[in-house]
Amino acid sequence: MNDGQLYEPASADARVGAGAYTIESLDTGLRLMRLFLVRDTVTVSEAAGLLGIGRSTAHRVLSTLEGRGFAARDPSGRSYEAGPELLRLGRPAGLGAPVRARLGAALDDAARRTGETVESAALVGDHVLVTDGRESVQPVRVTLETDRVRPAHATAAGKVLLSRMTAEQVCALYPRERLPTVTSRTLVSRTALLAELAEVRELGRAFSRGESVAGLYAVAVPLPGAGRRSGLALSASAPADRGGDAALAERAERLRQSAALTVGARAEAAG
């Protein structure tokens, strides 16, 4: 399906920056790479049809991307998928040991302040990846699952990280109005998501009320970061009976206090 945003046919009007300085082959390559935002694999014929180019052009561009590591043949050998270089560019920066060490004190403090399971999370495409955390000691608690991936639009951490993007960037990430349904409470329209993200930007925190897992309520705030790719979110999750709006708002303030610790830790490391 041509959604008119990510893979419009090539034309003087459709190309960004069309004019005397447009390099058509580069433009085609960039638009082809964008296909991997919404498709796991793409064949030569599909690329040609979606971009409005000839099969031979699509084949040459895909072969060039493959040679540079931005595309790779899938196991069947008939389609292409995102290559290691493209995956590396899309991976959030700073998920290694130094960042985990810097965040450790903040996570310990957040667990103590909130009494709930706390996590740090990064945005990977349209999903969030839990990078680290601390599990609550309460008898009934949310289980910590590091390296877990969930749809960003259905989680508090994901909404916080999406709010660092412009509306145009969010629309590029979600090219269709209909969003995937995870539970009966999940936001299912891009319009509703954009409206909530505007509120998140204003308030500096996001809620998730059973939107990713039934009965799991969470709040998240941003962790200080230099940019969108290096940004992380700090969240606290609890069972629904401890997740009313007043409780979530109070935890947001406590998470902000814990998040502030990362500023001092980064300054100390720099000194």
Side-chain angles (χ1 to χ4, degrees):
M1 180 189 302
N2 188 329
D3 55 44
Q5 295 199 44
L6 285 181
Y7 30 82
E8 63 269 27
S11 71
D13 294 329
R15 289 196 298 272
V16 175
Y21 298 104
T22 298
I23 302 174
E24 187 170 355
S25 59
L26 176 59
D27 181 70
T28 300
L30 292 172
R31 292 191 299 123
L32 204 155
M33 283 194 291
R34 293 176 71 189
L35 291 181
F36 293 121
L37 289 175
V38 293
R39 303 175 74 94
D40 291 330
T41 63
V42 61
T43 65
V44 172
S45 296
E46 289 171 339
L50 291 169
L51 299 182
I53 59 179
R55 279 178 51 88
S56 61
T57 299
H59 183 264
R60 288 197 304 272
V61 173
L62 282 167
S63 295
T64 301
L65 293 175
E66 182 183 17
R68 290 295 184 180
F70 289 94
R73 296 293 182 102
D74 75 346
S76 73
R78 295 187 295 271
S79 300
Y80 290 83
E81 59 189 9
E85 287 298 315
L86 192 58
L87 293 174
R88 183 180 65 80
L89 289 175
R91 187 170 61 239
L95 298 187
V99 173
R100 289 189 180 231
R102 175 166 59 82
L103 293 178
L107 287 167
D108 291 338
D109 188 71
R112 178 183 61 81
R113 288 180 186 274
T114 66
E116 303 294 351
T117 297
V118 296
E119 300 169 338
S120 58
L123 188 66
V124 183
D126 60 357
H127 284 67
V128 285
L129 169 70
V130 175
T131 62
D132 204 354
R134 304 290 185 268
E135 190 168 299
S136 171
V137 296
Q138 300 201 51
V140 180
R141 59 185 180 272
V142 175
T143 302
L144 175 65
E145 299 177 89
T146 55
D147 297 325
R148 182 199 70 207
V149 175
R150 285 197 176 137
H153 71 283
T155 66
K159 293 174 191 176
V160 161
L161 295 170
L162 289 171
S163 74
R164 300 187 68 159
M165 303 170 67
T166 65
E168 182 180 17
Q169 289 171 330
V170 173
C171 288
L173 195 60
Y174 297 97
R176 296 176 178 82
E177 172 65 15
R178 180 78 179 182
L179 302 179
T181 300
V182 184
T183 74
S184 61
R185 289 176 167 247
T186 308
L187 291 174
V188 294
S189 77
R190 189 176 64 182
T191 299
L193 175 63
L194 290 170
E196 184 159 342
L197 293 181
E199 181 180 344
V200 172
R201 291 186 194 98
E202 180 180 350
L203 299 177
R205 52 87 175 140
F207 292 170
S208 174
R209 307 173 184 87
E211 297 166 43
S212 63
V213 176
L216 185 153
Y217 281 42
V219 58
V221 301
L223 282 163
R228 179 171 56 84
R229 285 191 73 236
S230 59
L232 297 170
L234 178 65
S235 68
S237 304
D241 60 359
R242 299 201 298 268
D245 283 3
L248 292 176
E250 182 180 354
R251 284 180 203 136
E253 293 305 315
R254 296 180 181 183
L255 289 176
R256 287 192 182 99
Q257 294 173 338
S258 300
L261 295 178
T262 64
V263 177
R266 190 167 61 249
E268 182 179 343

